[in-house]
Amino acid sequence: MTLTNKDKRASIEGLTIQLKGSTLQEYKSFKIAYDEYLQSIFLDWINNYLTYEKFAEHYEISITRAEELIKEARTIHERLVKDIITTKASKELGMNKKFLDEKIIFIRA
């Protein structure tokens, strides 16, 4: 499942996206697409913007909403990266993934 442009705009603006009549599998598929989209928003901010102000101006949202969006996107990005790291490490080292999940933390500068 992919996000429509309407869904993408709604997520940027902080609006609720309704999934009517969706199955659990469709919801999970949507959630993965949504998380990947927000991760791309975070990476766009990290790589292309110096300030919340410029990001907000480009996406036509308030500075407060830009800060909220980037905070949410950062959290999702860190969760996705952590999942990749712990999955790979648990396979390569033969360690319990849940144990690794609890031990790995992100330190923000």
Side-chain angles (χ1 to χ4, degrees), residues 1-50:
M1 176 178 271
T2 59
L3 295 179
T4 65
N5 287 337
K6 184 178 175 182
D7 293 335
K8 290 177 181 179
R9 189 69 210 164
S11 66
I12 288 171
E13 293 176 2
L15 303 175
T16 301
I17 301 171
Q18 283 190 331
L19 300 176
K20 293 183 180 180
S22 296
T23 65
L24 182 58
Q25 187 58 37
E26 289 171 328
Y27 170 77
K28 287 178 181 177
S29 178
F30 182 85
K31 178 72 172 129
I32 290 167
Y34 178 80
D35 286 354
E36 289 173 350
Y37 178 66
L38 281 190
Q39 182 181 37
S40 74
I41 293 275
F42 175 72
L43 294 174
D44 182 40
W45 180 73
I46 284 290
N47 292 318
N48 299 313
Y49 297 92
L50 294 174

Side-chain angles (χ1 to χ4, degrees), residues 9-94:
R9 189 69 210 164
S11 66
I12 288 171
E13 293 176 2
L15 303 175
T16 301
I17 301 171
Q18 283 190 331
L19 300 176
K20 293 183 180 180
S22 296
T23 65
L24 182 58
Q25 187 58 37
E26 289 171 328
Y27 170 77
K28 287 178 181 177
S29 178
F30 182 85
K31 178 72 172 129
I32 290 167
Y34 178 80
D35 286 354
E36 289 173 350
Y37 178 66
L38 281 190
Q39 182 181 37
S40 74
I41 293 275
F42 175 72
L43 294 174
D44 182 40
W45 180 73
I46 284 290
N47 292 318
N48 299 313
Y49 297 92
L50 294 174
T51 65
Y52 291 114
E53 290 80 7
K54 280 293 181 190
F55 181 87
E57 179 183 325
H58 180 251
Y59 282 93
E60 298 177 348
I61 56 177
S62 70
I63 295 168
T64 301
R65 177 61 194 145
E67 290 171 351
E68 292 168 352
L69 178 62
I70 291 165
K71 182 179 179 182
E72 178 185 3
R74 177 193 316 262
T75 300
I76 289 170
H77 169 73
E78 289 175 354
R79 181 176 45 79
L80 293 175
V81 168
K82 184 177 181 179
D83 186 56
I84 291 168
I85 292 168
T86 57
T87 299
K88 186 173 182 174
S90 68
K91 289 178 183 175
E92 291 180 3
L93 302 173

